[in-house]
Amino acid sequence: MRPNQPAADGYADRMADTPPGSPLPPSPAAPPAPAVPPMGETPRMPLRRLGWRRFLVLAGVVLLIAACAVFMVFTLGQSLGAQALLIGVVAAILPVPVLVACFLWLDRYEPEPLKYLIFCFAWGAFVSTAASLTVNDFAANRFADWGLPSALTGVLVAPFIEELTKALGPILLLVFRRREWSGITDGLVYCGLSAVGFAMVENILYLGGLGYASGADRYGPATGIQQVIAIFILRILLFGFAHPLFTSMTGVGLGIASRTADRRIRVLAPIAGLLLAMMLHGTWNLLPTLTQATGEAMIMLYGFLGLMVPVFFGTVGLALWLRAWEGRLTERVLPDYVRAGWLSPPEVAALSSLGRRHAARSWARRVAGDAGVRAMRGYQSAATRLALLRDGALRGLDRKAADQERTAREERELLDAITEYRSFFVGRDPQAPAGVWDGSRYHLRFPDGTQRAVDAPDEPVVPIPVVLAPAPAPVGYAPPGWPGLRPASPWPPTHP
């Protein structure tokens, strides 16, 4: 496989058609294959140790979110009443699984840790809403004291405090867990989930208060339910994308900052994204205010069709294009590890798209059962993280010696994990010849007993069939005493 070219179409699909079989012995002239571990003992990714400082920070964050959650439940309960609060909660939760699933769908190549996803959602749902509600109420009271309309709060105050607080959770992740960010896609996911959590709690206020409570107080419960349905259709089904769309602008800026070594861009990109989010949010809030003040419903229609719809589809198009970025990244970066002997050419090809990854898992199930599938999933995750780590090193993201040493250590851990994962399915395909990949050639033993070295083809033709030569040093920031990476060579390797 050429580093900048995808594998031939249909290659990965054929991987899934291999029937199960017994392992084949390697060539006597080749290094022995690694021992296959017992099924059911699938290795896991290396875990970080939780020091006392991290524990204190984690405890503080959990306490902050819990305190804000209690504050919001108490405030909404007092404002709406128990019945209206319950109806608002049920109605507001309905769209949440759909919206969350959309953002998780974007992050299929290297899914983010669940704890960070929950953190962003909870931050938007409780911390951001608590801060925004407090500031908005304060501003509305001040405007009333000054004889100004309360609608100004939605245009001059709410967009700024809401977008700032929604983005603050992902910003904290970027500051303290920058290595968990792989680019703009992660920014969209983290900020999108924060916005979904915020919108859910805000919808409780609208559905329970302006919907059920106001209608039931005036005309009875039936009218309250009708108003809940009307607000649900208008606010959630038609405009439910608004908050995630606004905050995604900040996510783009944070994602750009996470993959650049330029300090100016690290600062300016998030600021630009946040300002754009605030402007979009303020413009969106201004439309109904102008419509109500002038009585011209066309203002809202023109603003929706002329501004929000193009921005929405443009953001969706960007997200879809970025979704495959991590797959393309593996094709650009991982050939370094192929030349170094850590990976074989078909492995890189099998990582380049979600379809090929699915086919690789199907192949692993056929040749190694459920343990093979689990190992293949772990292998794919580790390989993607390895590509992101290598890309960050090439971009110069690690300026300090401590960061470079940490990158070297993580690289070694990922390569060791990949080696363990491979042992669950390598050598189990009866249709593949036994052999070894040494970084430039296959050393194969054929059914007739002959053994010879075979140059790598222009396109991969077999699905991860071979073991690897004894592992060399990683190719990143090698610790003292480790040999360096072999000189880069053309792909496919050529020999006299």
Side-chain angles (χ1 to χ4, degrees):
M1 188 199 72
R2 301 179 189 277
N4 296 322
Q5 295 179 356
D9 293 338
Y11 158 69
D13 295 333
R14 295 195 297 273
M15 292 172 58
D17 297 332
T18 304
S22 59
L24 290 178
S27 169
V36 178
M39 294 302 176
E41 298 181 7
T42 310
R44 297 181 178 181
M45 292 296 297
L47 301 176
R48 294 188 179 90
R49 295 180 179 178
L50 185 63
W52 66 269
R53 293 183 179 178
R54 291 182 178 179
F55 176 79
L56 290 179
V57 172
L58 177 61
V61 170
V62 171
L63 289 176
L64 174 62
I65 294 176
C68 291
V70 172
F71 171 79
M72 288 304 300
V73 171
F74 177 78
T75 301
L76 293 177
Q78 276 197 327
S79 175
L80 305 179
Q83 189 176 24
L85 176 61
L86 179 61
I87 293 176
V89 168
V90 172
I93 287 178
L94 290 178
V96 170
V98 177
L99 294 173
V100 170
C102 290
F103 285 104
L104 296 183
W105 178 82
L106 287 176
D107 197 30
R108 293 281 301 279
Y109 279 97
E110 199 256 336
E112 302 310 310
L114 181 61
K115 59 183 178 182
Y116 297 144
L117 301 178
I118 294 175
F119 164 76
C120 288
F121 182 87
W123 182 276
F126 303 119
V127 179
S128 179
T129 53
S132 298
L133 181 63
T134 302
V135 173
N136 289 338
D137 285 346
F138 177 82
N141 293 333
R142 298 290 76 76
F143 287 144
D145 294 340
W146 299 335
L148 298 174
S150 59
L152 290 178
T153 303
V155 178
L156 300 180
V157 179
F160 299 94
I161 185 61
E162 292 178 7
E163 292 306 321
L164 177 61
T165 54
K166 282 188 291 183
L168 186 57
I171 289 174
L172 292 176
L173 274 183
L174 179 61
V175 172
F176 294 103
R177 288 292 183 271
R178 180 179 63 83
R179 303 174 80 88
E180 297 292 341
W181 285 65
S182 59
I184 300 177
T185 300
D186 285 0
L188 293 175
V189 172
Y190 287 140
C191 288
L193 290 179
S194 178
V196 170
F198 181 94
M200 179 190 71
V201 176
E202 188 181 59
N203 287 334
I204 295 174
L205 184 62
Y206 279 91
L207 293 166
L210 296 179
Y212 181 80
S214 63
D217 290 343
R218 290 185 178 184
Y219 306 106
T223 301
I225 295 297
Q226 290 178 354
Q227 291 190 184
V228 169
I229 295 174
I231 294 177
F232 185 90
I233 294 174
L234 182 65
R235 181 172 179 82
I236 295 179
L237 295 186
L238 294 181
F239 306 135
F241 64 87
H243 273 291
L245 177 63
F246 305 147
T247 315
S248 67
M249 302 298 108
T250 307
V252 172
L254 294 176
I256 293 174
S258 69
R259 302 303 293 180
T260 181
D262 192 320
R263 294 183 178 179
R264 293 170 297 181
I265 297 179
R266 285 186 179 183
V267 175
L268 295 178
I271 292 176
L274 181 60
L275 290 177
L276 182 56
M278 293 175 175
M279 292 170 60
L280 283 175
H281 195 160
T283 303
W284 177 250
N285 289 353
L286 179 63
L287 294 176
T289 302
L290 292 178
T291 299
Q292 184 177 7
T294 62
E296 295 290 340
M298 297 304 292
I299 293 178
M300 187 69 186
L301 180 62
Y302 287 152
F304 177 72
L305 296 179
L307 176 63
M308 303 309 296
V309 171
V311 172
F312 172 77
F313 282 106
T315 305
V316 170
L318 174 64
L320 293 177
W321 181 80
L322 290 170
R323 185 173 183 259
W325 178 82
E326 290 174 356
R328 296 191 297 269
L329 179 67
T330 59
E331 286 192 312
R332 295 195 302 269
V333 174
L334 292 184
D336 288 347
Y337 295 91
V338 175
R339 285 187 287 266
W342 281 98
L343 302 173
S344 65
E347 293 179 86
V348 177
L351 292 166
S352 61
S353 71
L354 291 175
R356 291 178 176 182
R357 292 184 180 214
H358 175 75
R361 292 193 295 271
S362 299
W363 172 83
R365 182 184 298 277
R366 290 180 180 274
V367 301
D370 291 339
V373 177
R374 293 193 297 269
M376 180 62 77
R377 291 183 185 275
Y379 166 84
Q380 291 172 345
S381 176
T384 304
R385 287 178 58 182
L386 180 64
L388 291 167
L389 190 71
R390 174 69 173 166
D391 178 69
L394 295 176
R395 290 173 180 265
L397 299 185
D398 300 322
R399 294 178 175 271
K400 299 179 181 179
D403 292 335
Q404 295 180 5
E405 292 177 2
R406 183 178 177 183
T407 294
R409 183 174 64 255
E410 290 184 9
E411 181 190 45
R412 182 71 202 212
E413 291 174 351
L414 288 171
L415 288 170
D416 289 342
I418 286 173
T419 300
E420 291 188 58
Y421 286 128
R422 291 181 86 258
S423 66
F424 271 73
F425 41 76
V426 167
R428 294 182 179 273
D429 188 346
Q431 294 187 355
V436 171
W437 169 258
D438 68 359
S440 59
R441 283 183 169 185
Y442 290 107
H443 299 270
L444 303 178
R445 188 182 68 184
F446 292 88
D448 62 359
T450 60
Q451 303 178 35
R452 64 176 181 269
V454 178
D455 293 343
D458 290 340
E459 303 291 346
V461 293
V462 287
I464 316 178
V466 297
V467 297
L468 299 174
V475 302
Y477 300 114
W482 282 12
L485 174 66
R486 303 174 189 175
S489 58
W491 194 267
T494 56
H495 300 276

